[in-house]
Amino acid sequence: MRRHIFAALVLATGQWFMTTTAFAQDEALGPPEALQYPFQASETAPRAVTMPFLRKAIEDAADLGLCEALMREAGHEFPNGFRPQDCTTEFAARVRDRDGLVHWRSENARPLKCGGDCVGRPFNSVTRNVDKPNLREAMLYGRLLFKIDPPGPVDRDLTYSYEVHVQCKAADGARNGDIEVKVDVGEPVLGDPHTLESTLDFLFLPVQISRRIESFIRSKLRSIPTTAIGGEPCRSIGVSRAQDPKFDAMPFDLAPTPGRVVRPGLDAIGGVRAERARVEFLSITRHPLPVGVAPEHARPGAVEAGYFNAYLNGANVSFPPPLEAPDGLRLPPAGGTVALNYCRTVPLDGMDRLQLLFVNALGGAVWSQFARDAGFGAGAPHAITTGRTIVVPGTPKPRVVPLREFELAYRIVYLPAPVLTGATAGPRGGVRPVRGSHDLPIARPEVLAESDASATTCREI
C-alpha cells in the first residue's frame, strides 16, 4: 500500500530529484552512494529509450493478458501456456472493443491515450542496494486500470501498479555497460466492493498477468534492432522531459568503440603502469552479541559466516577461504580475530573516489568512500564493521536490535603513475589526460605513497 501511495504521488506531481556527489564517507551503513560510472547523461545524448515505445509495449502486453483472461473464462485451455499466437481474431476484437468480463476501465485508460493519468514522467534515480554497488538509473511509475464487469449491476475496478527501471547496466565496476529496461509489475489491487460483490468469484483472472506483461515487454525489447535500444552498449543514462509527457525519453550515450584490451592498472603506452591503489586486507574480527541477544542470532557454525565480499569501486573481490578451512574462514562463534594477508590493486585513472563495500553472507554490510582530494584514504589503517538488524522478543512488543558483527581492518596504499619523459610525455609533464568529457583530469593526491617498486607480501586476490 505504501508503494502505491508513493507511486500515485509521483504520478501526480511528476517530480523527483536526486543527485550524487563524491564525498568522503567512513564506515557508513545503508545503501552506498552510486558509482561514478556509468555517468548521468545529458538531455541531448544521441540515443534514447522513448516513451512512445514503452507505452505501446506496455499496452500490447496488457491486451495480450486481457485476451488470455477472456479466453480462459470462455473455457479455452492452454496446457503448454498461453502464447501470443493463441489469441484469436475474435477475442482480440473483444479486447479492442472493451467487451468482456474484464476490460480496460475506459478507452482513455490505455497507456497510449492516458497522457499523465496512468503513466508518470521519468526521473533520475539510483538503485538502493545495501549489499552490492549502486548504479544510476532512469525510472517511472505507472498504473494499468481495468474493470471486472460480470452480468448484472456489480462491477469492480482492478489496478496493477508498475515501475519501469532503465539502466546502463555495467558489471563489476566497468565504466560502460548495456542498456537494460526492467518492468516490475505489482500484485493486483481491487477497488472497494459493492453490496453484492462479496459473492463474485473472480479467480478466473490469471494471477500471472503481471508476469506476462513484464515478460512480453522484455521480449519486445529484445526484438528491437540495436540501432534503437535493447542491449546497446552505453556509458550513461539520464532523463529528458518533453513539453508533451507522451514524448519524454531516457537518453544515453553510446559506449566508445572497443579498442585494444588493456589490463587493469596499465595504460595504453606500451604497458606503462598507470595510477593505482592497493587495498591491503589485514584482519577480520567477529564481535560478541549484545547482552540479552540469544546465541542463535550469531548463527554459530553457519558456513556463510565465513564468507565475505568486498567491492572496490564496484569490482567484486571474494575472500578465498584458507586451504585448511574449505567451508569458510574459521571465525570464533562468539568473538575473535582472524589475520589476513590478502590485497587487491585497482586502477584509479580518472576516478574521483575509492569506494569500499564490505559484505558478509549473513546479511551485514558496511561501506567507506574516500575522495581524490582526501588522498583516496591512503596512509593509516582503517576499520569498518558490518551492520544488520534482527528482531528479538520484548515487552510489550518485539524490538529491533542492530548487530555490528564483523570488523574489517585494512590499509590503502596509493601507487602513483610514473612520470614519463621524452617523446612519451603527455602535455602535463608526463601525466596523460583521460579521454572523455566526463572523466576527471588526473591530479595526484598530496599523500605520502609507497614506491611502485616496493615489494609486498600480501596475496593478490
Side-chain angles (χ1 to χ4, degrees):
M1 179 65 70
R2 186 178 304 169
R3 187 181 76 168
H4 296 147
I5 294 174
F6 181 54
L9 176 63
V10 174
L11 275 168
T13 63
Q15 298 294 323
W16 177 269
F17 300 98
M18 180 174 293
T19 59
T20 58
T21 306
F23 294 109
Q25 298 278 350
D26 200 357
E27 197 173 20
L29 301 179
E33 182 179 307
L35 296 174
Q36 181 180 355
Y37 300 103
F39 58 87
Q40 184 170 309
S42 70
E43 294 188 9
T44 58
R47 294 287 193 273
V49 179
T50 65
M51 287 308 300
F53 164 77
L54 282 177
R55 285 175 180 261
K56 186 176 189 308
I58 292 170
E59 183 172 316
D60 288 349
D63 280 345
L64 194 63
L66 292 173
C67 185
E68 178 184 2
L70 296 180
M71 293 187 72
R72 288 188 183 276
E73 191 269 337
H76 293 266
E77 296 181 356
F78 306 97
N80 297 321
F82 187 83
R83 299 166 299 174
Q85 57 267 35
D86 293 328
C87 183
T88 65
T89 302
E90 174 193 354
F91 283 94
R94 292 182 64 185
V95 171
R96 184 176 60 251
D97 297 335
R98 298 178 47 240
D99 173 29
L101 199 57
V102 56
H103 52 74
W104 291 102
R105 187 177 302 178
S106 69
E107 188 63 24
N108 288 334
R110 290 179 171 275
L112 284 171
K113 297 183 178 181
C114 71
D117 293 336
C118 70
V119 181
R121 309 199 72 172
F123 54 90
N124 289 311
S125 184
V126 297
T127 58
R128 302 288 294 170
N129 301 308
V130 174
D131 59 350
K132 59 184 178 180
N134 288 302
L135 298 174
R136 293 177 178 85
E137 66 177 2
M139 185 177 174
L140 65 88
Y141 294 100
R143 295 189 299 267
L144 297 170
L145 307 174
F146 303 130
K147 186 177 287 292
I148 297 176
D149 192 8
V154 179
D155 60 36
R156 195 166 183 178
D157 290 338
L158 174 66
T159 302
Y160 287 92
S161 293
Y162 63 86
E163 302 173 359
V164 178
H165 301 260
V166 183
Q167 292 183 12
C168 179
K169 192 76 170 183
D172 206 22
R175 300 192 183 198
N176 307 319
D178 297 301
I179 284 295
E180 177 184 276
V181 181
K182 180 181 179 182
V183 181
D184 180 14
V185 183
E187 295 300 319
V189 176
L190 290 167
D192 294 334
H194 297 287
T195 305
L196 302 177
E197 189 139 12
S198 60
T199 62
L200 176 63
D201 179 5
F202 56 86
L203 295 180
F204 61 84
L205 186 68
V207 296
Q208 301 292 328
I209 187 171
S210 61
R211 297 185 182 92
R212 175 167 298 286
I213 291 172
E214 182 178 8
S215 63
F216 185 82
I217 290 174
R218 286 181 174 176
S219 69
K220 284 284 187 180
L221 292 173
R222 284 195 295 267
S223 69
I224 297 295
T226 56
T227 53
I229 70 167
E232 189 167 15
C234 56
R235 60 192 183 101
S236 67
I237 188 64
V239 165
S240 175
R241 291 191 173 187
Q243 186 172 358
D244 185 340
K246 292 194 295 292
F247 297 102
D248 289 342
M250 285 150 278
F252 59 92
D253 292 273
L254 293 172
T257 302
R260 182 172 67 88
V261 176
V262 180
R263 288 181 293 163
L266 302 178
D267 72 6
I269 309 179
V272 176
R273 289 191 175 275
E275 183 183 36
R276 296 159 296 138
R278 185 174 67 242
V279 182
E280 300 175 350
F281 304 106
L282 307 177
S283 67
I284 294 177
T285 298
R286 185 171 199 169
H287 295 295
L289 291 173
V291 175
V293 175
E296 56 265 23
H297 287 291
R299 306 285 298 276
V303 172
E304 55 267 31
Y307 284 96
F308 299 88
N309 282 286
Y311 294 88
L312 304 177
N313 279 354
N316 184 22
V317 182
S318 296
F319 284 44
L323 294 178
E324 66 273 14
D327 291 332
L329 296 174
R330 287 185 175 174
L331 292 171
T337 299
V338 173
L340 304 176
N341 68 334
Y342 303 141
C343 57
R344 170 64 69 91
T345 303
V346 294
L348 295 174
D349 306 1
M351 293 292 183
D352 65 2
R353 75 198 73 178
L354 176 58
Q355 184 187 95
L356 187 153
L357 170 62
F358 179 55
V359 179
N360 173 252
L362 290 180
V366 62
W367 63 283
S368 289
Q369 178 171 280
F370 305 98
R372 172 176 285 271
D373 58 11
F376 295 119
H382 302 271
I384 52 177
T385 305
T386 62
R388 65 182 174 104
T389 58
I390 60 171
V391 178
V392 299
T395 304
K397 58 182 180 180
R399 59 191 178 95
V400 175
V401 176
L403 295 185
R404 304 300 302 276
E405 294 177 283
F406 299 100
E407 177 183 322
L408 172 69
Y410 66 97
R411 177 172 54 241
I412 298 171
V413 179
Y414 174 61
L415 303 173
V419 176
L420 304 180
T421 60
T424 62
R428 291 185 292 147
V431 181
R432 291 173 57 87
V434 180
R435 297 182 180 90
S437 60
H438 290 269
D439 292 334
L440 297 178
I442 295 177
R444 292 183 181 177
E446 297 296 329
V447 297
L448 294 177
E450 182 177 322
S451 168
D452 187 30
S454 66
T456 178
T457 58
C458 62
R459 173 186 170 189
E460 188 84 15
I461 58 174

